[in-house]
Amino acid sequence: MNFARRSGLPGVDAENPIALTVTGRVSRAVVPDLCAELERALAGPRGAALAPGAAVDCDVGAVVRPDLTLVEAVARLALVARRSGRTLRLRRVPPELRSLLDLVGLADVVALEEDPGERVPDAR
């Protein structure tokens, strides 16, 4: 499992300088490290520059076998973001993770990037 703060995610707003990338298999042992990384980012100058209510992006497109441990990590990251007055927005969410988030009721708590394949065409 790897995670990093990035500023060059495709589709990330230039006003949002904070983005976490979570890759590989997420174990319970690394969840506190993910939360600590997000807390440090939000406490730093880039986090202070975010407007209240702004979204913090988390790219989960490269996770391996999404499971309830990843759901726990998402829930805890959402709490960290919310405590700082921000929201967590997941990018490149695998279908398995979307299903798990729906199942446990977290799809309404975190913002999910709209999947390009799910967009509704203009009704003209």
Side-chain angles (χ1 to χ4, degrees), residues 26-83:
V26 176
S27 69
R28 294 191 103 187
V30 300
V31 174
D33 294 335
L34 284 169
C35 293
E37 177 69 18
L38 182 56
E39 287 173 346
R40 280 191 297 275
L42 290 169
R46 291 170 54 166
L50 287 175
V56 174
D57 290 317
C58 183
D59 181 351
V60 292
V63 295
V64 176
R65 292 185 301 225
D67 58 10
L68 290 177
T69 302
L70 180 57
V71 170
E72 176 188 354
V74 167
R76 291 182 60 187
L77 288 169
L79 282 173
V80 169
R82 195 168 276 198
R83 285 182 189 136

Side-chain angles (χ1 to χ4, degrees), residues 4-9 12-20 37-51 54-57 86:
R5 194 167 0 133
R6 292 181 40 189
S7 60
L9 268 176
V12 174
D13 300 328
E15 297 90 38
N16 183 357
I18 296 178
L20 295 175
E37 177 69 18
L38 182 56
E39 287 173 346
R40 280 191 297 275
L42 290 169
R46 291 170 54 166
L50 287 175
V56 174
D57 290 317
R86 312 308 191 280

Side-chain angles (χ1 to χ4, degrees), residues 79-97:
L79 282 173
V80 169
R82 195 168 276 198
R83 285 182 189 136
S84 71
R86 312 308 191 280
T87 59
L88 184 70
R89 176 174 48 207
L90 298 180
R91 300 268 184 182
R92 299 185 332 128
V93 183
E96 300 89 356
L97 180 56

